[in-house]
Amino acid sequence: MPFFTPSSATSDSPPTGARKAWSDSFGGLATRCLQVIIVLVIVIGIVFAASTISVVTIPVLIALIIASAMHPVVSWLRRHRVPSLVATLIVLLGVLVVLGLVGWLIVVAVENQWSDLQKSAVDGFQQLQKGVTSLPFSISDKQIDDATKTATDFVTSAKFGSGALAGASATANFLTGLVLMIVVLFFFLKDGPKIWEFLLRPFTGTRYARARRVGDRVVSTLGGYVRGTATVAAVDAIGIGVGIAIVGVPLALPLAVVVFITAFIPIVGATAAGILAALVALVTLGPVQALVVVGIVVLVNQLEGNLLQPVLMGRTLQLHGLVILVGLTAGTVLAGITGAVMSVPLLAAAWGAVQVWDGPDTPAKPWRQKRSEEVGAQ
C-alpha cells in the first residue's frame, strides 16, 4: 500500500473532522475566499514593487506601447530590404522628432504670446478683486494683505525650499526615465520578436501557442490603440485649435497641443482641455466667446465619439465606460498623469489577451458568453 494513498475503505467512508469542515458549502466558500486573498496579495505585491521602482517600470511600459505602435513601420521597412539597424534608427528618430516637436510647439507658442497671457492674468486678477468687493460679506484690505504675506512667507520658507528640492529630484528622475525609455525603445524596435521568443523558451506545445496568441494580440491591441487615439487626438486638436483661433482666443496653438495630449486620456481628457480653453476665453474675451468655445468643444467631441472612434478604433477598445473610469482612477492614484494615460491601453491589452486565451476567436472559459445578456424592459 502506498504510504500517502488512503485505502479504498477510507476513501469511501464519509469525511470526518477537519475534512468534513472543509467539504461542506461553507468550507468550499472559505477555500474560494482563501484563493482570492492569495491572488490579491500577489497582485498587490506586484503593483507595490512596480510602483516602488516606477522610474524603471513606467519607461519600460511606455517603450512597449510605443514599440507596439511603431512595429508595423519597422516591419514594412525590413520587408523592403532596409537593414534592421537602419530601420530601427529611422523609426526611433521619427518618434523622438515628433515628441520634441510637440514640446517645442508648446514652448515657442507660450513664449510668443506670454505678454498677452500676462496682461490677461492681470486683468483677470483685477476683475477678481472687484468681485470680492461686491460680495455680501466684506473683506478688508488688511485681510488681503495678510493672505498675500502668508503666501510670500510660504514661498520664502524652508518648506517651500524642500518642495523645490523635491521638484529638482523629480526632474532628475524624469530625465533618467526618459533616457531609459529611449534605450529600451531602441531594443524593443530592433529585437522585439527575438526578446519575446526568448521569454517563451519555457513553454511548449499548447502553452507555447497560447503565449504566442496572447503576445500577438497584446501588441496589436496596444499598437491599434495608440495609432487610433493619436489620429483622433490630431483631429480633435486641429478642430478645436482652428475653432478657438477663429474666435480669437489667445494661445490657440498651445491649447491645441494640450487638446492633443489630453485626448490620450479617454472620457475626461477632452473635457479637461475644453474647460481650459473656455477659461482662457472667459478671462481674455468674455462670457459670450467662452460659450462659443464650449460649443466648439462639444461639437468636436460629438463627432469624435460618434464617427471617428468607431471607425478608427474598431475592435481595439472593447471596454465598458465604467471599466475605463475605474481604470483611469486606479492609474491616476498609482502613477499620476502617466498612470491615467497608460491604464486604458493596458486594460484593453489585458482584455484582448482574455479574448484569445483558448483559441484565435475563443475567449477564456469563464469569460465566454453562455446566455443572452440582453436585459428586457422591467
Side-chain angles (χ1 to χ4, degrees):
M1 179 185 300
F3 186 78
F4 289 104
T5 303
S7 63
S8 59
T10 304
S11 59
D12 295 338
S13 61
T16 59
R19 292 180 58 197
K20 181 178 181 180
W22 286 96
S23 61
D24 60 7
S25 58
F26 286 105
L29 177 61
T31 302
R32 186 65 65 191
C33 291
L34 183 61
Q35 293 172 342
V36 171
I37 291 173
I38 293 174
V39 171
L40 287 177
V41 169
I42 294 175
V43 171
I44 292 173
I46 294 174
V47 171
F48 176 77
S51 61
T52 302
I53 55 173
S54 58
V55 71
V56 175
T57 55
I58 290 180
V60 171
L61 288 175
I62 294 176
L64 175 62
I65 294 174
I66 297 177
S68 299
M70 295 294 104
H71 176 69
V73 181
V74 178
S75 299
W76 183 85
L77 291 174
R78 288 172 178 169
R79 287 195 301 269
H80 286 75
R81 299 183 179 180
V82 177
S84 177
L85 180 60
V86 176
T88 302
L89 291 176
I90 291 174
V91 175
L92 180 62
L93 290 177
V95 171
L96 296 180
V97 167
V98 171
L99 295 178
L101 181 62
V102 171
W104 178 79
L105 286 175
I106 296 176
V107 173
V108 172
V110 172
E111 182 180 5
N112 291 338
Q113 302 185 38
W114 178 254
S115 59
D116 295 337
L117 182 62
Q118 186 178 20
K119 182 177 181 299
S120 300
V122 173
D123 294 340
F125 182 73
Q126 292 176 350
Q127 293 177 9
L128 180 61
Q129 283 184 319
K130 293 179 181 178
V132 167
T133 58
S134 62
L135 291 174
F137 52 89
S138 61
I139 299 179
S140 63
D141 293 338
K142 183 178 183 303
Q143 290 174 319
I144 297 178
D145 293 339
D146 291 341
T148 304
K149 184 177 183 301
T150 302
T152 305
D153 292 341
F154 171 74
V155 171
T156 57
S157 65
K159 183 177 181 181
F160 182 81
S162 63
L165 292 177
S169 176
T171 302
N173 289 337
F174 171 78
L175 294 177
T176 302
L178 179 62
V179 173
L180 178 61
M181 187 273 291
I182 294 173
V183 174
V184 174
L185 177 60
F186 171 80
F187 286 109
F188 278 173
L189 291 173
K190 181 177 180 294
D191 300 322
K194 294 181 180 179
I195 294 173
W196 183 238
E197 283 295 334
F198 173 79
L199 296 176
L200 295 184
R201 283 185 179 181
F203 301 98
T204 57
T206 57
R207 293 183 177 180
Y208 172 78
R210 172 181 293 169
R212 283 299 305 269
R213 285 196 310 270
V214 169
D216 293 342
R217 175 57 69 90
V218 167
V219 170
S220 64
T221 300
L222 290 176
Y225 176 86
V226 173
R227 291 188 296 270
T229 304
T231 305
V232 172
V235 173
D236 286 350
I238 294 173
I240 295 177
V242 171
I244 62 179
I246 293 175
V247 175
V249 179
L251 297 175
L253 181 58
L255 286 174
V257 175
V258 170
V259 170
F260 177 81
I261 295 174
T262 56
F264 283 86
I265 305 176
I267 299 178
V268 299
T271 303
I275 292 174
L276 178 61
L279 287 176
V280 174
L282 177 63
V283 172
T284 57
L285 302 177
V288 176
Q289 289 82 354
L291 290 176
V292 173
V293 171
V294 171
I296 293 173
V297 172
V298 171
L299 177 62
V300 172
N301 288 337
Q302 289 299 315
L303 291 176
E304 169 205 325
N306 297 321
L307 179 62
L308 293 178
Q309 285 280 3
V311 173
L312 296 176
M313 303 299 288
R315 298 178 56 189
T316 300
L317 190 60
Q318 294 181 329
L319 298 175
H320 193 276
L322 178 61
V323 176
I324 294 176
L325 286 175
V326 173
L328 284 174
T329 304
T332 304
V333 171
L334 292 174
I337 188 64
T338 305
V341 173
M342 294 171 48
S343 58
V344 176
L346 293 179
L347 283 174
W351 180 243
V354 171
Q355 296 299 304
V356 297
W357 190 258
D358 288 335
D361 296 309
T362 307
K365 188 174 181 180
W367 300 102
R368 298 176 195 170
Q369 184 174 348
K370 304 173 182 64
R371 65 193 69 86
S372 176
E373 296 179 354
E374 297 293 333
V375 180
Q378 299 295 327

